Amino acid sequence: MDEDAVASILGESSSNRASARARPPCPRRGENREFDRHFDESTAEYDPTEVDFQELRRAAWATWRTKPPAALSRPSQTAVAEDDELARVLALSAQEHASSQSASSSSRSRFHDADRAAGGGLNPLGGRDDGDDDEELRRAIAMSEEEARAPKRQKRDETPEEERRMLAEAMAASLAESEAGPSMIPASPSKPKQEVNSISHHNIQSTSGSDTYTAPISIPSSPLPSITASPAPSTDSAAPTILKIGGQVIDRAQLEKERRERQAARQAAISGISSSSTTSSTSSAPLKTASSSLASSTLSSSESHPFQASGPFPTDAAGEYYLDGELRHVALRIGEHSRERTFSPQQVVGNHSQIALVIVSSFVIEDQWLLDANILPPPEVVPTMTVRPHRKDQPEYNGKIELKANGEMWVYPKMLTGFGSAHMKYFWIFYKTGRLRVAISTANLVSYDYQEIENTVFVQDLLPLVAPIPLVASNTTHDFALQFARLFTHLRIHTGLRNLIRHHPAGSAIPFTPENNFADLAKYDWSKVRVRIVMSIPGQYTGHEEIGKLGISRLGKVLNEQGWVPRSGEKLDVEFQGSSLGTYSLEWFDKFYSFVSGKTSQQLVHRTKPTSWPDFHILFPTLATVERSIGGKPGGGTMFCGKAFNSVTKGLFYDANSKRGGVLMHTKMLIAIFEPAENRLGIEKVGTPTKLKRKADEMDIGSKDVGGWIYVGSHNFSPSAWGNVDVKKNPPTLNIRNYELGIVFPLDRKNARSVADRVAPYKRPARKYSASDIPWDQNAFPDVG
């Protein structure tokens, strides 16, 4: 392949090539990230089986433009003076990043940044309204300009001890709660009761609770209406359709068609489907809505998974996408081979060159891993908002937003107490193809959570509509979007977005604005969303309507509204798998059981005082299970039992064992199966309607064929996560300490138990603790380093 052929692909001129003769050898991938981006974007459409990419890369290096990176675009003339100044500061930072890869690696800190540890960095862009933001921005600019010109400070690595400390603080919140009855949230933070030592992994998960989100549940049996979506403008669209490579004339359209056919054949070989039956679906144009086999086959057999279609899946330039939602466990480096499809973090994020905006939230982030493994795109190139806890020793950042010198926006959730935790884990990714991806995960953005411990990710892709459809609360399928709109407003994502649009080099291309309460959400087709969101936000809430929007009372209300409740005469088989437990009173436990039975707060007002503990399975690994695991005791550093296990509750405990063998579990999953009263031994039967007369509030609502449901998300089994409801007060109250987020979806009555067996990452039925078993507890065994 000659350089002229390469130039025709990459759009280079002969003058640029001539000036590049004296260049050093072609850098390996990762040594020059700007060139990597240039090369990837220029060759995104080519198949490695058709083109020699090594030769193409060497030739591209020789022909790469020799002029320095273009200056970052400045705001429009109507912008205020401080916008111009901040753009200049960001340009300095971006140029430093491009010239020194090691400096870039040390400057990108997402959760615990060295600049803030040393007293530097930008001031947070806080305040109650956007007018205050501009005033704080002026002060931030002066500090930012000084920081941009100062020598780079060395990144302070996040140590295992510090991450362990974050967990200890979260556990202290749960352990410090008084469960005798609902209480007000403390106004001042307190220190954890017990300090813990470091462990070998520095990826650690909090145990605290979170906000409850509910996602729509309508389960359509037919595909979406035919829609012609208009992809966002892309540089790829300007590429020539006829290529000249090594003197050979090649039709790009034909190449793409053949590539898709080969891809379909490979996928078909894996899934056992003939290539002839899959070619047509995979060769469809990007963003064309393919009819989903999942809608018609969901829960049709004992082997079906409610959110794992057989594939192949449609693709666009950003990658594979899932219009019906896809729930998979993470791809691990340890344990036995799984027959199920899995998600890697790279699969969740997709093609970096096609991303226009990222909004990501995690309790813990391992910055170096994100860089080394190329998980997220560089924030100086792709506008990025990172929702993360503020440092405990810097309370002035609580509830603020902070624009970093590399263009990244940090959002610190508002905490009302030192006990709470910002524990949500999600992605919102806007692609240049026009598609939106929402991913809700149980995994932190750390290598340990994606490689060495069980976690689960739900991905829902949304295509753009021809014309926006206003979101209405009465439309169940819109609930998913409206729940996030509420969360984004609470977190002040709207303020962060406005600043990104004004100041980021790629801000003008951001396809999502916060105006009119995130009205842009109406641009997407939410009709295929079949889950409900359950969310927790810290605070005290009053009145049945308000408390029904969050936490455990939200879950009860959703189950009641959807009719995902046992029939008369049926009981619940309920089990909760998590990584950390709380402190339980009989009162709280009984109310939790009532809510998961589909009761609302109104229905609990006149409940009688409980005298016995409900039949409930708490799944948590025994000490022996952790000792036998692949990681041993050091691998159990993110798991806390605390005071949950005692002489009263020990009969509720069951061992937790991964299907992949020797792997510990971080997935938080609540499974409820409706079981006829005469069938409590685990033998599945189809429940029969009772002839007993039932009260109106006990009648089945909606889906009569539902035989159970599953919750997956960030909530651990603790009052901090789910909240504490006091229905004896008038009006009733709900107290929540943590941010949490998850989804809930129904199970078909015909095969609820077998489908639950497949969805769960652990072996079911779980083994009950023997008399000699004790739970693993990192606090009780601190010598795990």
Side-chain angles (χ1 to χ4, degrees):
M1 180 185 303
D2 58 31
E3 293 183 6
D4 288 333
V6 173
S8 69
I9 298 174
L10 301 178
E12 303 292 350
S13 67
S14 58
S15 61
N16 283 334
R17 297 198 305 275
S19 62
R21 301 296 184 187
R23 291 190 183 186
C26 179
R28 292 178 298 178
R29 178 167 290 277
E31 293 180 347
N32 187 325
R33 293 187 63 172
E34 186 179 8
F35 174 67
D36 288 345
R37 291 192 300 271
H38 164 77
F39 179 76
D40 291 344
E41 292 173 0
S42 302
T43 60
E45 294 294 322
Y46 302 103
D47 191 335
T49 63
E50 299 289 343
V51 179
D52 185 346
F53 267 47
Q54 291 286 55
E55 182 179 355
L56 186 61
R57 183 178 176 86
R58 289 191 298 271
W61 173 248
T63 60
W64 192 37
R65 294 185 179 92
T66 58
K67 64 182 180 180
L72 302 183
S73 59
R74 298 171 63 87
S76 64
Q77 295 181 352
T78 59
V80 294
E82 59 263 31
D83 293 347
D84 295 331
E85 189 172 359
L86 182 58
R88 178 166 53 84
V89 174
L90 293 177
L92 290 172
S93 175
Q95 289 178 352
E96 288 177 3
H97 181 91
S99 63
S100 173
Q101 298 306 314
S102 60
S104 168
S105 181
S106 63
S107 65
R108 271 190 71 199
S109 173
R110 298 181 179 276
F111 260 74
H112 304 284
D113 179 73
D115 296 345
R116 293 199 293 108
L122 297 180
N123 285 334
L125 306 178
R128 295 181 179 275
D129 53 45
D130 294 332
D132 294 336
D133 294 334
D134 288 338
E135 178 61 31
E136 292 192 53
L137 182 61
R138 295 187 184 95
R139 296 194 298 269
I141 289 169
M143 297 182 68
S144 176
E145 186 172 13
E146 179 182 356
E147 178 193 63
R149 293 194 177 99
K152 288 293 180 180
R153 298 177 176 88
Q154 184 178 2
K155 177 182 179 290
R156 179 175 66 84
D157 292 331
E158 179 63 16
T159 65
E161 291 82 359
E162 289 164 325
E163 294 177 356
R164 173 75 60 93
R165 172 182 57 78
M166 294 175 72
L167 287 178
E169 288 170 350
M171 275 305 298
S174 182
L175 299 177
E177 293 176 1
S178 172
E179 299 302 340
S183 59
M184 294 293 291
I185 296 177
S188 60
S190 64
K191 296 181 180 180
K193 293 182 178 180
Q194 182 176 359
E195 292 295 331
V196 291
N197 299 328
S198 66
I199 60 173
S200 59
H201 304 283
H202 49 98
N203 321 311
I204 303 198
Q205 169 60 39
S206 159
T207 66
S208 41
S210 65
D211 302 334
T212 33
Y213 275 84
T214 7
I217 172 54
S218 70
I219 306 181
S221 57
S222 59
L224 285 171
S226 177
I227 295 175
T228 304
S230 302
S234 170
T235 56
D236 292 339
S237 61
T241 57
I242 302 298
L243 298 178
K244 176 185 175 185
I245 300 179
Q248 181 180 3
V249 177
I250 297 178
D251 187 331
R252 278 186 60 191
Q254 180 64 24
L255 274 178
E256 176 65 8
K257 178 181 178 181
E258 294 173 357
R259 184 186 70 82
R260 289 183 178 273
E261 290 175 350
R262 289 193 301 272
Q263 181 186 44
R266 288 194 296 267
Q267 292 175 331
I270 295 174
S271 59
I273 304 174
S274 65
S275 59
S276 60
S277 65
T278 61
T279 300
S280 59
S281 64
T282 57
S283 61
S284 59
L287 287 180
K288 180 180 179 181
T289 304
S291 61
S292 171
S293 60
L294 181 59
S296 60
S297 64
T298 295
L299 306 176
S300 61
S301 71
S302 61
E303 291 299 318
S304 64
H305 189 297
F307 289 101
Q308 283 188 12
S310 59
F313 300 95
T315 62
D316 59 15
E320 196 172 73
Y321 58 92
Y322 316 99
L323 299 179
D324 296 291
E326 186 80 0
L327 183 73
R328 300 179 186 176
H329 308 308
V330 299
L332 299 179
R333 295 194 307 182
I334 64 173
E336 299 172 5
H337 175 71
S338 174
R339 293 169 49 198
E340 304 285 349
R341 288 190 179 97
T342 57
F343 274 133
S344 69
Q346 291 88 348
Q347 286 176 301
V348 174
V349 174
N351 184 353
H352 290 183
S353 68
Q354 294 297 316
I355 298 177
L357 172 67
V358 175
I359 303 174
V360 59
S361 176
S362 181
F363 176 64
V364 181
I365 292 183
E366 186 182 350
D367 303 302
Q368 196 59 49
W369 173 66
L370 292 177
L371 288 169
D372 294 343
N374 200 31
I375 306 299
L376 293 175
E380 67 273 17
V381 176
V382 176
T384 301
M385 299 187 70
T386 302
V387 183
R388 38 149 283 176
H390 71 280
R391 286 179 58 93
K392 298 293 185 181
D393 60 353
Q394 292 183 323
E396 67 272 16
Y397 282 85
N398 187 17
K400 304 293 184 178
I401 63 174
E402 181 183 14
L403 179 62
K404 303 301 290 182
N406 65 353
E408 184 176 7
M409 187 71 68
W410 288 3
V411 178
Y412 305 100
K414 179 70 173 179
M415 305 306 302
L416 303 181
T417 167
F419 290 115
S421 293
H423 200 234
M424 293 181 175
K425 304 159 183 68
Y426 61 83
F427 292 89
W428 273 56
I429 305 175
F430 296 82
Y431 298 104
K432 296 175 183 178
T433 61
R435 174 163 55 91
L436 165 63
R437 165 164 293 183
V438 181
I440 298 173
S441 175
T442 70
N444 287 293
L445 280 178
V446 296
S447 56
Y448 181 64
D449 277 20
Y450 275 93
Q451 296 174 358
E452 299 180 50
I453 196 168
E454 289 284 6
N455 274 290
T456 305
V457 183
F458 173 77
V459 174
Q460 180 79 53
D461 287 296
L462 300 313
L463 297 184
L465 295 166
V466 174
I469 298 178
L471 301 180
V472 292
S474 59
N475 187 332
T476 307
T477 61
H478 291 171
D479 184 61
F480 191 101
L482 292 173
Q483 290 291 320
F484 271 101
R486 173 181 180 173
L487 175 64
F488 286 172
T489 300
H490 174 86
L491 294 174
R492 301 178 66 239
I493 295 293
H494 54 290
T495 301
L497 267 178
R498 289 188 184 114
N499 279 284
L500 276 180
I501 291 170
R502 289 160 59 186
H503 301 303
H504 195 280
S508 62
I510 291 177
F512 182 57
T513 69
E515 308 310 322
N516 301 317
N517 193 27
F518 300 98
D520 275 355
L521 293 173
K523 298 189 305 184
Y524 299 96
D525 185 355
W526 302 93
S527 66
K528 296 182 80 72
V529 177
R530 299 179 293 114
V531 300
R532 299 295 303 271
I533 293 285
V534 180
M535 172 174 61
S536 295
I537 295 178
Q540 184 179 69
Y541 305 89
T542 304
H544 290 295
E545 182 177 355
E546 287 302 309
I547 70 177
K549 296 177 180 178
L550 298 167
I552 185 57
S553 45
R554 160 72 172 177
L555 177 58
K557 182 179 180 181
V558 167
L559 299 176
N560 188 279
E561 287 177 346
Q562 298 295 154
W564 305 342
V565 297
R567 294 176 176 175
S568 179
E570 290 183 333
K571 300 293 184 181
L572 276 183
D573 274 349
V574 192
E575 59 193 33
F576 200 117
Q577 150 64 36
S579 59
S580 298
L581 305 177
T583 303
Y584 315 120
S585 68
L586 175 57
E587 178 74 13
W588 183 87
F589 211 103
D590 186 75
K591 279 186 287 190
F592 188 94
Y593 187 84
S594 296
F595 282 121
V596 300
S597 298
K599 300 294 184 182
T600 64
S601 59
Q602 292 93 328
Q603 292 172 316
L604 298 186
V605 170
H606 301 295
R607 61 187 282 273
T608 59
K609 186 175 182 178
T611 58
S612 60
W613 291 76
D615 185 8
F616 197 102
H617 297 181
I618 301 174
L619 273 62
F620 198 82
T622 65
L623 171 60
T625 294
V626 172
E627 289 177 330
R628 290 193 303 264
S629 68
I630 296 171
K633 287 184 177 181
T638 64
M639 311 184 74
F640 295 82
C641 180
K643 297 180 180 180
F645 182 83
N646 53 52
S647 59
V648 177
T649 62
K650 63 181 182 181
L652 306 177
F653 274 70
Y654 288 72
D655 198 8
N657 291 276
S658 168
K659 293 175 182 175
R660 290 192 261 196
V663 178
L664 299 179
M665 288 183 288
H666 190 258
T667 293
K668 296 94 170 74
M669 187 172 289
L670 176 59
I671 297 179
I673 305 294
F674 308 155
E675 201 65 56
E678 72 277 6
N679 181 34
R680 302 291 291 170
L681 299 179
I683 302 175
E684 187 169 7
K685 295 181 180 179
V686 177
T688 55
T690 178
K691 295 182 180 180
L692 296 177
K693 185 177 180 180
R694 293 179 286 169
K695 297 180 181 179
D697 63 354
E698 294 177 338
M699 297 296 288
D700 293 336
I701 305 172
S703 304
K704 296 178 182 292
D705 291 329
V706 170
W709 49 266
I710 294 178
Y711 163 87
V712 183
S714 68
H715 289 78
N716 274 301
F717 189 39
S718 73
S720 292
W722 290 100
N724 204 332
V725 179
D726 188 347
V727 293
K728 295 180 181 179
K729 288 185 177 181
N730 189 16
T733 61
L734 166 67
N735 282 289
I736 296 177
R737 290 181 172 172
N738 305 333
Y739 289 89
E740 306 284 355
L741 175 65
I743 61 168
V744 60
F745 55 88
L747 300 174
D748 192 301
R749 176 171 291 275
K750 295 179 181 179
N751 51 14
R753 188 175 295 278
S754 61
V755 172
D757 291 345
R758 179 169 178 185
V759 173
Y762 53 88
K763 298 175 182 178
R764 302 182 70 248
R767 180 188 66 83
K768 190 170 185 177
Y769 274 29
S770 68
S772 60
D773 280 330
I774 59 173
W776 159 259
D777 188 12
Q778 193 277 328
N779 279 333
F781 305 97
D783 57 337
V784 297

